[in-house]
Amino acid sequence: MNKAEAIQIANESLRSNALNESNTQFSQLVRYVSDEGWWLNIPLANFRKENHFLLCSEKAKMIRHIMLKPNCILSPATKFRVKDGVADVFISAANPRKLVDILQGGTKYSFNKHLVDEHRY
């Protein structure tokens, strides 16, 4: 699975063309220390516009689609670990119903309220 395929699956499922190369980040399930999850690197300026995140799990054959509306997270620099103007986010797959950033230096922000859909493939 790659980003273009994931965007196509999400757009078909939503019956729209809302997601594209520039407003969507794609993340595969990866190992991090003793956990598995998804990395997101979000430039702080991107919090002022609509962002889509596709979290892909080849094991589960599922893509979790998260959407952040413009300015829905105020002061992101105080909520996430920030490095060079980019928010580093790691969402653990240990509990897939709990889409929480677990990185040290963050506030354990939950993305659950931003979950749009789960697309099976």
Side-chain angles (χ1 to χ4, degrees):
M1 175 71 53
N2 64 36
K3 181 178 179 178
E5 292 168 332
I7 288 173
Q8 181 179 352
I9 289 169
N11 278 335
E12 284 174 4
S13 180
L14 296 170
R15 293 184 176 95
S16 79
N17 287 319
L19 286 74
N20 59 53
E21 184 68 33
S22 64
N23 72 358
T24 306
Q25 277 192 38
F26 172 77
S27 183
Q28 288 273 19
L29 190 65
V30 294
R31 197 119 193 90
Y32 175 64
V33 189
S34 62
D35 201 355
E36 280 188 322
W38 300 275
W39 279 104
L40 301 176
N41 302 107
I42 312 166
L44 293 178
N46 283 12
F47 285 97
R48 292 191 294 265
K49 59 185 184 179
E50 185 173 293
N51 285 281
H52 297 269
F53 303 94
L54 299 176
L55 311 180
C56 181
S57 172
E58 293 279 349
K59 289 181 195 175
K61 298 284 186 217
M62 182 186 303
I63 301 167
R64 286 181 179 81
H65 176 189
I66 295 170
M67 180 184 67
L68 298 180
K69 293 183 178 176
N71 301 311
C72 71
I73 300 176
L74 300 176
S75 304
T78 64
K79 295 197 177 12
F80 305 105
R81 182 178 78 173
V82 176
K83 197 168 51 178
D84 299 326
V86 176
D88 280 336
V89 175
F90 184 78
I91 298 173
S92 174
N95 183 348
R97 296 283 171 223
K98 193 174 174 186
L99 300 170
V100 176
D101 173 30
I102 63 165
L103 288 180
Q104 293 282 30
T107 60
K108 308 287 188 232
Y109 187 83
S110 173
F111 287 88
N112 277 329
K113 62 185 166 207
H114 306 291
L115 182 65
V116 173
D117 206 350
E118 293 180 341
H119 311 289
R120 298 209 177 265
Y121 62 95

